[in-house]
Amino acid sequence: MPQSPHSSTDLGRQLELDGERKFNRLGWKRLTVVLFVEAIALGSLSLPAAFATLGMVAGIICTVGIGFIATYASYEVGAVKLKYPEINNYGDIGRLLLGEWGFWLVTLSFMCGMLLNVGSHCLTGTIALADITQSDVCGVVFGAVSAVILFLLAIPPAFADLAILGYIDIVSILVAIGITFIATGIQQSKQPGGIKSSDWSAWPAEDIDFSSAMVAINNIVFAYSFAIALPSFMSEMHTPRHYVKSVCTLGAFQAFLYTVIGAVIYAFVGQAVQAPALLSAGPVVSRVAFGIALPVIFISGSINISIGARYIHGNIYRDSLTRYVNSKRGWVTWVMLVAVCTAISWIVSEAIPVFTTILSISGALLNSGLCYYIPALIWFVLVKEGSWYSRRNWLRACCNALVFLFGIGVLGCGTYATIVVLIRQTRDGVTGRPFACSKS
């Protein structure tokens, strides 16, 4: 029996309503969880090593200060989403700022940032599996296993569904870090002189150069990079204006947790602290800590894959019901995009097999703009009402000017420092070879 035009229209409308219900279930509490999972993961594991480079005083100042800057910048990113509800992702902001070429510029930066982030998760998964198993299996194989796990966890297309895994992620990272705290504290207490014998320093070591210090700052910048995903997450909120609660809650918790992680582990281990920090817990305990941390390694990485894939999928099918991933065509294209993003990230992890270097590259080149100087520009160009020097705007204008200068400073100085350190590591054989079996 032929289908009437009305039944076809009704079916399309029903699919659209089902899709909207599926992708508009995110409240501010779940948003906080998703942001936590996206933000508080591998970045936190690089902080003790950053403290060892900067010294305790500068490490704490940088961690708290950059946390405040990142939280404020994220607030501005959310503000433009509220003013322009049609924005679905960060690329749409680029289009508003600079037209079509701005969209593609931001899209390229956004996708590179996501892929580098997932690459760092894949590399950490490789290190974790090798450390846990203590086997002679080639690291490339462990990298492939990590990539497959990341792919499978990234298949659910709705962020509200991934938020459920976020609770496991939160417990995982907190327990793993807690074990590292206890293990490093016990190890140091058994040394001659006890805890007081640790060689941590309040100030940077005399032989620390500008490039090494800047790479440490880049790693802190990376640890706070959650503004990138905020527009994508807000597109699935049923009450987008509540994002402020999530951003402030996450920012305050991040600053506290990062300061404690960096300061305590550095105080216990001293200059010998490693990155990821879980390696500093000793050969046996680090295996336990890595085992507990596997959920955060893979769940956080999978959310970043999902962000990147949703970005592409949403733009390809912007005006089609396929964007809701509730049809055969939608599922096929979605799974293919997740697979491609995962494969590229695995290649990145094998090509740059040093944990802190991947984070530094992403922090300096990409996150400096997406999380700092572009949010400042967003306020001046898109959000500001009236002149910037008016009484109601001058304080916000000054804050955004400082955020802009900070982001530009990280871009210039951070990129230079990363190049210098990467050349030095290559010359000294620290980086190893791409696609080599050993990732140590």
Side-chain angles (χ1 to χ4, degrees):
M1 182 176 181
Q3 189 178 48
S4 70
H6 291 291
S7 63
S8 178
T9 302
D10 291 343
L11 178 60
R13 180 58 182 160
Q14 185 60 47
L15 288 173
E16 185 174 7
L17 289 173
D18 291 343
E20 288 176 353
R21 281 194 292 267
K22 179 180 180 180
F23 288 100
N24 285 278
R25 294 179 291 138
L26 208 59
W28 78 267
K29 293 179 181 178
R30 277 197 176 185
L31 174 62
T32 305
V33 172
V34 175
L35 285 172
F36 184 106
V37 174
E38 196 273 333
I40 303 180
L42 301 187
S44 63
L45 302 182
S46 70
L47 291 174
F51 272 59
T53 300
L54 299 171
M56 188 70 77
V57 174
I60 292 174
I61 291 173
C62 288
T63 301
V64 175
I66 293 174
F68 177 81
I69 294 171
T71 302
Y72 178 78
S74 299
Y75 167 78
E76 295 293 9
V77 172
V80 75
K81 167 66 178 173
L82 291 185
K83 189 172 181 179
Y84 301 89
E86 67 273 16
I87 291 172
N88 291 314
N89 49 56
Y90 215 125
D92 291 338
I93 298 176
R95 182 181 280 115
L96 288 178
L97 280 173
L98 300 169
E100 198 62 27
W101 77 271
F103 168 79
W104 288 109
L105 179 63
V106 171
T107 293
L108 179 62
S109 300
F110 179 91
M111 289 306 302
C112 287
M114 288 296 105
L115 294 173
L116 279 169
N117 197 327
V118 179
S120 65
H121 283 83
C122 194
L123 176 60
T124 308
T126 303
I127 296 171
L129 293 174
D131 193 60
I132 292 169
T133 61
Q134 295 289 299
S135 71
D136 295 328
V137 175
C138 179
V140 176
V141 175
F142 283 131
V145 172
S146 297
V148 170
I149 296 172
L150 287 167
F151 164 74
L152 293 174
L153 290 175
I155 288 177
F159 294 130
D161 295 331
L162 289 172
I164 297 172
L165 294 175
Y167 296 104
I168 302 173
D169 186 287
I170 292 171
V171 173
S172 169
I173 190 65
L174 294 180
V175 172
I177 290 171
I179 290 174
T180 305
F181 281 172
I182 295 170
T184 53
I186 292 174
Q187 287 173 11
Q188 189 58 38
S189 67
K190 293 180 178 179
Q191 299 298 318
I195 297 292
K196 294 182 180 179
S197 66
S198 173
D199 62 349
W200 71 270
S201 172
W203 313 108
E206 294 182 0
D207 60 344
I208 295 298
D209 58 13
F210 171 79
S211 296
S212 298
M214 197 65 218
V215 167
I217 292 175
N218 289 346
N219 279 264
I220 298 175
V221 167
F222 178 88
Y224 283 105
S225 301
F226 60 89
I228 301 175
L230 191 57
S232 300
F233 292 152
M234 288 179 66
S235 294
E236 292 194 14
M237 292 187 73
H238 53 69
T239 313
R241 68 178 182 276
H242 289 170
Y243 86 94
V244 178
K245 299 178 184 178
S246 299
V247 167
C248 292
T249 301
L250 177 67
F253 186 73
Q254 266 190 302
F256 170 77
L257 183 65
Y258 285 173
T259 302
V260 171
I261 291 172
V264 172
I265 295 180
Y266 174 48
F268 285 158
V269 181
Q271 296 298 323
V273 69
Q274 300 181 62
L278 303 185
L279 290 170
S280 301
V284 176
V285 179
S286 70
R287 295 168 69 183
V288 176
F290 266 127
I292 293 173
L294 286 177
V296 72
I297 293 171
F298 294 124
I299 293 173
S300 294
S302 67
I303 284 185
N304 281 282
I305 294 173
S306 185
I307 293 168
R310 281 287 307 282
Y311 187 100
I312 298 172
H313 198 270
N315 278 288
I316 293 174
Y317 298 110
R318 180 181 293 270
D319 301 318
S320 169
L321 290 176
T322 306
R323 70 185 183 275
Y324 293 121
V325 197
N326 55 1
S327 64
K328 181 178 179 180
R329 182 183 181 187
W331 276 108
V332 169
T333 53
W334 171 254
V335 172
M336 287 177 61
L337 279 172
V338 171
V340 170
C341 289
T342 306
I344 295 173
S345 298
W346 174 72
I347 292 171
V348 168
S349 73
E350 294 295 331
I352 313 174
V354 178
F355 178 70
T356 54
T357 304
I358 291 184
L359 303 192
S360 182
I361 291 171
S362 184
L365 273 179
L366 304 170
N367 296 350
S368 61
L370 296 172
C371 299
Y372 299 94
Y373 65 78
I374 291 179
L377 287 175
I378 284 172
W379 182 81
F380 281 104
V381 179
L382 300 175
V383 178
K384 173 182 61 65
E385 295 181 356
S387 58
W388 67 267
Y389 50 82
S390 64
R391 178 173 294 182
R392 69 173 182 173
N393 284 335
W394 72 268
L395 179 59
R396 204 163 167 185
C398 290
C399 290
N400 281 289
L402 291 174
V403 172
F404 177 81
L405 292 174
F406 174 77
I408 292 296
V410 172
L411 173 64
C413 298
T415 302
Y416 165 79
T418 302
I419 292 171
V420 170
V421 170
L422 189 56
I423 292 173
R424 183 190 306 157
Q425 290 176 336
T426 303
R427 181 194 63 207
D428 297 340
V430 175
T431 59
R433 292 178 296 105
F435 294 91
C437 284
S438 174
K439 298 293 186 292
S440 60

Short mmCIF file of all heavy atoms in Angstrom, two decimals, residues 24 50 58 75 99-100 146-147 163 189 210 247 264 269 275 290 294 303 312 317 348 368 382 399 418 425 431:
data_model
loop_
_atom_site.label_atom_id
_atom_site.label_comp_id
_atom_site.label_asym_id
_atom_site.label_seq_id
_atom_site.Cartn_x
_atom_site.Cartn_y
_atom_site.Cartn_z
N ASN A 24 19.21 16.47 23.92
CA ASN A 24 18.94 17.64 24.76
C ASN A 24 18.61 17.20 26.18
O ASN A 24 17.64 17.65 26.78
CB ASN A 24 17.78 18.47 24.18
CG ASN A 24 18.20 19.27 22.96
OD1 ASN A 24 18.78 20.34 23.07
ND2 ASN A 24 17.92 18.73 21.78
N ALA A 50 55.91 19.26 36.11
CA ALA A 50 55.95 20.71 35.88
C ALA A 50 56.42 21.44 37.14
O ALA A 50 57.20 22.39 37.07
CB ALA A 50 54.58 21.21 35.45
N ALA A 58 56.61 28.83 42.23
CA ALA A 58 56.13 29.19 40.89
C ALA A 58 55.12 28.17 40.39
O ALA A 58 54.17 28.54 39.67
CB ALA A 58 57.31 29.27 39.92
N TYR A 75 34.07 31.07 30.59
CA TYR A 75 32.82 31.81 30.81
C TYR A 75 32.46 32.65 29.59
O TYR A 75 31.29 32.71 29.18
CB TYR A 75 32.97 32.72 32.04
CG TYR A 75 31.87 33.75 32.18
CD1 TYR A 75 30.62 33.39 32.68
CD2 TYR A 75 32.07 35.07 31.78
CE1 TYR A 75 29.60 34.33 32.78
CE2 TYR A 75 31.07 36.01 31.89
CZ TYR A 75 29.84 35.64 32.39
OH TYR A 75 28.83 36.56 32.48
N GLY A 99 34.17 35.06 9.34
CA GLY A 99 33.55 34.57 8.12
C GLY A 99 33.91 33.12 7.84
O GLY A 99 34.33 32.37 8.73
N GLU A 100 33.78 32.71 6.59
CA GLU A 100 33.95 31.31 6.24
C GLU A 100 35.37 30.82 6.47
O GLU A 100 35.58 29.69 6.94
CB GLU A 100 33.56 31.09 4.77
CG GLU A 100 33.29 29.65 4.41
CD GLU A 100 32.13 29.06 5.19
OE1 GLU A 100 31.23 29.83 5.61
OE2 GLU A 100 32.12 27.83 5.40
N SER A 146 45.09 0.01 22.73
CA SER A 146 44.54 1.25 23.31
C SER A 146 43.60 1.94 22.33
O SER A 146 42.53 2.42 22.72
CB SER A 146 45.69 2.20 23.69
OG SER A 146 46.50 1.64 24.69
N ALA A 147 44.00 1.98 21.07
CA ALA A 147 43.17 2.63 20.05
C ALA A 147 41.83 1.92 19.89
O ALA A 147 40.78 2.57 19.75
CB ALA A 147 43.91 2.68 18.72
N ALA A 163 28.27 10.78 29.84
CA ALA A 163 28.38 11.33 31.19
C ALA A 163 28.23 10.23 32.24
O ALA A 163 28.80 10.33 33.34
CB ALA A 163 27.32 12.41 31.41
N SER A 189 59.27 8.22 53.25
CA SER A 189 59.43 8.12 54.72
C SER A 189 60.43 7.04 55.09
O SER A 189 61.00 7.07 56.20
CB SER A 189 58.07 7.83 55.36
OG SER A 189 57.61 6.54 55.00
N PHE A 210 64.95 28.76 29.92
CA PHE A 210 63.65 29.30 29.58
C PHE A 210 62.77 28.28 28.87
O PHE A 210 61.58 28.15 29.17
CB PHE A 210 63.82 30.54 28.68
CG PHE A 210 62.53 31.04 28.09
CD1 PHE A 210 61.66 31.81 28.84
CD2 PHE A 210 62.18 30.73 26.78
CE1 PHE A 210 60.47 32.27 28.31
CE2 PHE A 210 60.99 31.18 26.24
CZ PHE A 210 60.13 31.96 27.01
N VAL A 247 30.94 25.68 34.88
CA VAL A 247 32.27 26.23 34.64
C VAL A 247 32.91 26.66 35.96
O VAL A 247 34.10 26.38 36.21
CB VAL A 247 32.18 27.42 33.67
CG1 VAL A 247 33.48 28.22 33.67
CG2 VAL A 247 31.87 26.93 32.26
N VAL A 264 51.95 17.91 46.33
CA VAL A 264 52.16 16.76 47.22
C VAL A 264 53.11 15.73 46.58
O VAL A 264 54.07 15.29 47.22
CB VAL A 264 50.81 16.10 47.58
CG1 VAL A 264 51.05 14.80 48.34
CG2 VAL A 264 49.98 17.06 48.43
N VAL A 269 58.35 13.03 46.09
CA VAL A 269 59.31 12.39 45.17
C VAL A 269 60.52 13.26 44.91
O VAL A 269 61.65 12.78 44.75
CB VAL A 269 58.62 12.02 43.83
CG1 VAL A 269 59.60 11.34 42.89
CG2 VAL A 269 57.41 11.13 44.09
N ALA A 275 56.76 11.74 34.45
CA ALA A 275 55.50 12.05 33.78
C ALA A 275 55.18 10.92 32.81
O ALA A 275 56.05 10.58 31.99
CB ALA A 275 55.59 13.38 33.04
N PHE A 290 48.17 2.36 37.64
CA PHE A 290 47.81 2.39 36.22
C PHE A 290 46.58 1.53 35.95
O PHE A 290 45.74 1.88 35.12
CB PHE A 290 48.98 1.92 35.36
CG PHE A 290 49.85 3.04 34.86
CD1 PHE A 290 51.21 3.02 35.06
CD2 PHE A 290 49.29 4.11 34.17
CE1 PHE A 290 52.02 4.05 34.58
CE2 PHE A 290 50.09 5.14 33.69
CZ PHE A 290 51.45 5.11 33.90
N LEU A 294 43.10 3.07 34.30
CA LEU A 294 42.72 2.73 32.92
C LEU A 294 41.39 3.35 32.50
O LEU A 294 41.26 3.85 31.37
CB LEU A 294 42.68 1.21 32.75
CG LEU A 294 44.04 0.50 32.67
CD1 LEU A 294 43.84 -1.01 32.57
CD2 LEU A 294 44.85 1.00 31.48
N ILE A 303 35.82 10.47 25.04
CA ILE A 303 34.97 11.67 24.98
C ILE A 303 35.56 12.68 24.01
O ILE A 303 34.84 13.35 23.25
CB ILE A 303 34.79 12.28 26.38
CG1 ILE A 303 33.79 11.44 27.17
CG2 ILE A 303 34.34 13.73 26.31
CD1 ILE A 303 33.43 11.98 28.51
N ILE A 312 32.46 17.05 13.20
CA ILE A 312 32.43 16.81 11.76
C ILE A 312 31.04 16.35 11.32
O ILE A 312 30.47 16.85 10.34
CB ILE A 312 33.48 15.75 11.37
CG1 ILE A 312 34.89 16.24 11.72
CG2 ILE A 312 33.40 15.44 9.89
CD1 ILE A 312 35.97 15.19 11.56
N TYR A 317 26.00 17.02 8.27
CA TYR A 317 24.55 16.79 8.22
C TYR A 317 23.78 17.87 8.98
O TYR A 317 22.77 17.59 9.63
CB TYR A 317 24.23 15.41 8.78
CG TYR A 317 24.85 14.28 8.00
CD1 TYR A 317 25.90 13.53 8.53
CD2 TYR A 317 24.39 13.96 6.72
CE1 TYR A 317 26.47 12.49 7.80
CE2 TYR A 317 24.96 12.93 5.99
CZ TYR A 317 26.00 12.20 6.54
OH TYR A 317 26.57 11.17 5.82
N VAL A 348 49.42 9.69 15.65
CA VAL A 348 50.06 10.80 16.38
C VAL A 348 50.81 10.27 17.59
O VAL A 348 51.95 10.66 17.86
CB VAL A 348 49.00 11.84 16.83
CG1 VAL A 348 49.59 12.83 17.83
CG2 VAL A 348 48.45 12.59 15.62
N SER A 368 46.38 27.61 23.38
CA SER A 368 46.63 29.02 23.66
C SER A 368 45.60 29.91 22.98
O SER A 368 45.18 30.94 23.53
CB SER A 368 48.04 29.42 23.19
OG SER A 368 48.16 29.22 21.78
N LEU A 382 32.00 39.97 19.69
CA LEU A 382 30.67 39.38 19.62
C LEU A 382 29.78 39.61 20.84
O LEU A 382 28.56 39.73 20.70
CB LEU A 382 30.78 37.86 19.38
CG LEU A 382 31.50 37.41 18.11
CD1 LEU A 382 31.64 35.89 18.08
CD2 LEU A 382 30.76 37.90 16.87
N CYS A 399 40.03 42.54 31.91
CA CYS A 399 40.23 41.11 32.13
C CYS A 399 40.48 40.39 30.81
O CYS A 399 41.39 39.56 30.70
CB CYS A 399 39.00 40.51 32.82
SG CYS A 399 38.80 41.01 34.55
N THR A 418 58.86 24.71 22.86
CA THR A 418 58.59 23.32 22.50
C THR A 418 59.51 22.85 21.38
O THR A 418 60.02 21.72 21.40
CB THR A 418 57.12 23.15 22.09
OG1 THR A 418 56.27 23.57 23.16
CG2 THR A 418 56.82 21.70 21.76
N GLN A 425 65.61 16.92 22.70
CA GLN A 425 65.27 15.53 23.03
C GLN A 425 65.64 14.58 21.89
O GLN A 425 66.12 13.47 22.13
CB GLN A 425 63.76 15.43 23.32
CG GLN A 425 63.34 16.09 24.62
CD GLN A 425 61.83 16.05 24.81
OE1 GLN A 425 61.07 15.95 23.85
NE2 GLN A 425 61.39 16.15 26.04
N THR A 431 63.49 11.17 22.83
CA THR A 431 62.18 10.94 22.21
C THR A 431 62.02 9.53 21.67
O THR A 431 60.91 9.08 21.45
CB THR A 431 61.97 11.92 21.04
OG1 THR A 431 63.02 11.73 20.08
CG2 THR A 431 61.97 13.35 21.52
#
